[in-house]
Amino acid sequence: LLALALARHAATPPLSYLRAITLRHLGRGAEASDEFERCLALAPDYAAAMLMLAQHDVRHHGAEQLARIRAALARDGLEPQQRAMLDYAHFIHLDAAGDTAAAWQALESGMRLKRASLAYDATAEQATFDALARLCDADFGSRRDGAADGGHTPVFVFGLPRSGTTVLERLLANHSRAPTAGEPNEVHHQPCREANLP
């Protein structure tokens, strides 16, 4: 569909970027690298594409990638989010080159910018957990609320980030009778709606 969109309309940076990410996900690495380059030819300051290309293939025209990142970092008027992505891309290149001290500085700069953009409120976070705890009482799992029994049993995989939940979901989904819904945000949002949380 993305190839069709690009064939029918003039390429835009977001469309090219999305195609590059999709190609990467499909394991078509060389095509993904070329598409990231196409995106950056259309928009040389596209920070997200610079970061993704560095993550995808730090050695793909590595010297040119690094020069492009450094040129973008030297420009005035960068938004904090853009600068953070460029700092992360810079970190990846410096780390790959073995320049640990400079890599650490780039990473620290990006992390400071990212942290400054987060408005964490510990009280609001605790209120969220309290509301969810009230909602998910001892009878929560047995309530059906009139849902029809279609003979199917949903299986939910929960866990912390990087704990293997995606791997487990993919293993289960390989069974012919276990279709997957992927990793939908709906499972997170629905209890928040039920508990009247934003």
Side-chain angles (χ1 to χ4, degrees):
L1 289 174
L2 288 165
L4 181 63
L6 283 164
R8 289 188 175 181
H9 305 282
T12 64
L15 186 58
S16 181
Y17 175 72
L18 183 57
R19 183 168 186 267
I21 290 175
T22 303
L23 288 167
R24 180 178 188 234
H25 179 74
L26 294 172
R28 292 161 61 181
E31 291 176 81
S33 296
D34 290 342
E35 193 63 46
F36 280 124
E37 290 289 356
R38 179 182 185 184
C39 175
L40 289 164
L42 293 167
D45 290 338
Y46 208 110
M50 287 187 232
L51 174 57
M52 285 302 299
L53 180 56
Q55 290 176 336
H56 170 65
D57 187 358
V58 72
R59 290 176 179 80
H60 179 82
H61 303 305
E64 292 173 25
Q65 279 194 61
L66 184 55
R68 184 165 47 207
I69 291 163
R70 286 178 170 163
L73 281 167
R75 290 189 183 93
D76 293 328
L78 278 175
E79 294 180 6
Q81 184 178 4
Q82 288 179 304
R83 175 149 196 120
M85 285 189 281
L86 291 169
D87 280 336
Y88 290 141
H90 198 199
F91 158 74
I92 291 168
H93 279 275
L94 293 168
D95 186 55
D99 190 348
T100 308
W104 185 258
Q105 289 177 346
L107 181 61
E108 191 175 27
S109 172
M111 292 177 76
R112 276 204 182 100
L113 288 165
K114 184 66 177 174
R115 179 66 184 93
S117 72
L118 302 175
Y120 178 71
D121 183 340
T123 303
E125 183 87 351
Q126 187 59 53
T128 298
F129 286 118
D130 291 344
L132 290 173
R134 286 190 300 275
L135 175 69
C136 302
D137 58 17
D139 297 326
F140 179 75
S142 62
R143 288 197 299 266
R144 300 284 303 228
D145 293 331
D149 187 352
H152 300 287
T153 303
V155 176
F156 296 94
V157 179
F158 293 93
L160 294 170
R162 299 288 178 253
S163 65
T165 53
T166 301
V167 173
L168 178 57
E169 181 264 336
R170 300 270 167 90
L171 288 169
L172 292 170
N174 278 329
H175 194 286
S176 61
R177 295 178 62 194
T180 178
E183 299 182 17
N185 289 327
E186 183 61 25
V187 175
H188 163 73
H189 293 310
Q190 187 60 34
C192 290
R193 282 194 288 268
E194 293 291 331
N196 263 341
L197 297 168

